[in-house]
Amino acid sequence: MTEPVVAPGRARGGRRDEILATFTRHVAERGYDRANFGDVASELGMSKGTIVHHFGTKDRMLAEVQERYMRRRLAEAHVLLARLTAPEQRIAAFVHAGVRYSTEEPATTVAFQREVVRLTDEPGMETARAQRDAYRDLVVAVLRDGEADGVFVPGDARLRSLQMFGSLHWMWTWFDPAGRMRAQDVAAEFCRTLLRGLGVGEAAVVAAADPDGPVARCVAEVCAPRP
Amino acid sequence: MTEPVVAPGRARGGRRDEILATFTRHVAERGYDRANFGDVASELGMSKGTIVHHFGTKDRMLAEVQERYMRRRLAEAHVLLARLTAPEQRIAAFVHAGVRYSTEEPATTVAFQREVVRLTDEPGMETARAQRDAYRDLVVAVLRDGEADGVFVPGDARLRSLQMFGSLHWMWTWFDPAGRMRAQDVAAEFCRTLLRGLGVGEAAVVAAADPDGPVARCVAEVCAPRP
DNA sequence: CTACTCTGCCCGTACGTGCGGTCAGTTCAC
DNA sequence: GTGAACTGACCGCACGTACGGGCAGAGTAG
């Protein structure tokens, strides 16, 4: 699950990343409130104090998880937007990417989605909230552009983005990466229903949703686990 | 916010309902883990012991919240299915009803949606889980029927139901019943995108999604706050 | 090379607090 | 009398975090 970071013994940055990864997994499994330093520390064979030394408080640890996650997602989103230009392809890419994360980095994704609500009010989450809003704005802009181009039927772009994010963010409650259903097939089905719902023609829908099509391949390249 | 139940003093069933309502609101606002007996009790001007006397444990309180909520939703769903027969109308009714709850009973709805995940594993939640599954099965059945009738384009009915529930269950993170946006308009937009995505013809889509149309009116009657 | 110091990583413990739940006992309606 | 509603004091525990110190490696003066 957690790849060996650098080498045994003293790794660059110490065990900081290791702590963060384990904490993330615990948040994913039990939620933030029930995740605690003691369990993380004992699982890693270290002291609670070590965690405090590296991160200070629990809040900040969660904030760091969220910020790291959103930073990667934002970076990838910009690359995808640069490579794909058709509105329906761009939307499809967001969906494929959103679903893909659930298998690629299940722990981080679930941890993020479980605790997004803390972005809205909790102090210290301003950065992560801004990142999340920026991401949503990217999607809204694509929906507006597509609408202006006549690719999507007129409608409320913000509501549509929320409808789309809802489907994706809810996945953590039912999707099992180890289950029978493949992530790509979920993405394809979601894409088809969504794009068709936006008024995209059937041929373009099928092409953009295809789990082996150009959009999905592009997403696979961009979102590949970093080397 | 909380309507005066019966009369001051000794109400039928004691203050049990009052406790449950306040607890529900606290769960909606802070989540289950951060909701505690002390705050509920002091807000109601009673002792913690009273709450324990009525409900035993915190788990059971949550279970009762979930079960009451799902019981009402299931009852209404059956009425709606009896009154509406066209697949696209039935799906639209589920969406309208789902959105409507967010304004009609914000506390209960948010409390339920925030903590649905506990239905999957936590013991003592079997009843609520069964109710939730039954509800989802109703939707899946409608999707399958519509598919068989040729109203919906072929696809994975279970995935589609999850896509739909995702959009609705996510609402608690962004929808503000007191905000500018009306629930009915959210429902209309969601309906339009979803039904169109299922392959329903444009005329039927517009009719079923109309916030003042027959489907919405039917839902309003059935889901009216009980007298 | 040696000795000394500085610094960042890490440990173990202890403290304070908040919370779920218990219990013995009181009040009150019937 | 009987039983339900209710109280308030109390317990035990889990958890976040503060704190003091240990230890190894880098830098530096001699």
Side-chain angles (χ1 to χ4, degrees), chain A residues 30-108:
Chain A
R30 320 178 193 173
Y32 176 76
D33 287 319
R34 288 170 131 77
N36 60 297
F37 287 0
D39 289 348
V40 172
S42 77
E43 186 176 318
L44 257 40
M46 65 175 61
S47 157
K48 279 202 290 180
T50 307
I51 300 181
V52 176
H53 166 73
H54 281 292
F55 296 95
T57 68
K58 204 181 166 188
D59 309 338
R60 273 214 278 281
M61 258 182 110
L62 182 65
E64 189 157 337
V65 171
Q66 311 271 52
E67 286 165 23
R68 283 189 178 206
Y69 178 77
M70 279 314 302
R71 196 166 348 161
R72 269 177 290 149
R73 302 239 23 191
L74 271 171
E76 290 166 5
H78 282 112
V79 176
L80 288 173
L81 289 176
R83 293 209 197 177
L84 301 167
T85 52
E88 80 276 7
Q89 289 193 322
R90 288 176 156 184
I91 292 296
F94 278 115
V95 175
H96 275 110
V99 171
R100 193 188 168 83
Y101 265 95
S102 297
T103 37
E104 219 62 66
E105 298 186 56
T108 322

Side-chain angles (χ1 to χ4, degrees), chain B residues 98-173:
Chain B
V99 171
R100 192 187 168 82
Y101 265 95
S102 295
T103 38
E104 219 62 66
E105 298 186 57
T108 323
T109 307
V110 172
F112 178 80
Q113 292 175 352
R114 261 191 110 132
E115 308 296 338
V116 210
V117 67
R118 294 183 197 276
L119 297 184
T120 54
D121 35 21
E122 225 105 329
M125 292 286 191
E126 294 79 13
T127 311
R129 176 167 64 241
Q131 290 170 318
R132 200 265 318 255
D133 291 347
Y135 192 87
R136 200 199 49 208
D137 289 346
L138 289 179
V139 173
V140 171
V142 172
L143 287 168
R144 293 228 170 91
D145 289 349
E147 206 175 308
D149 293 353
V151 180
F152 302 148
V153 294
D156 187 321
R158 191 172 152 273
L159 271 185
R160 285 169 165 180
S161 77
L162 291 165
Q163 188 172 10
M164 170 180 145
F165 282 126
S167 304
L168 294 173
H169 281 174
W170 197 246
M171 279 188 64
W172 73 271
T173 64

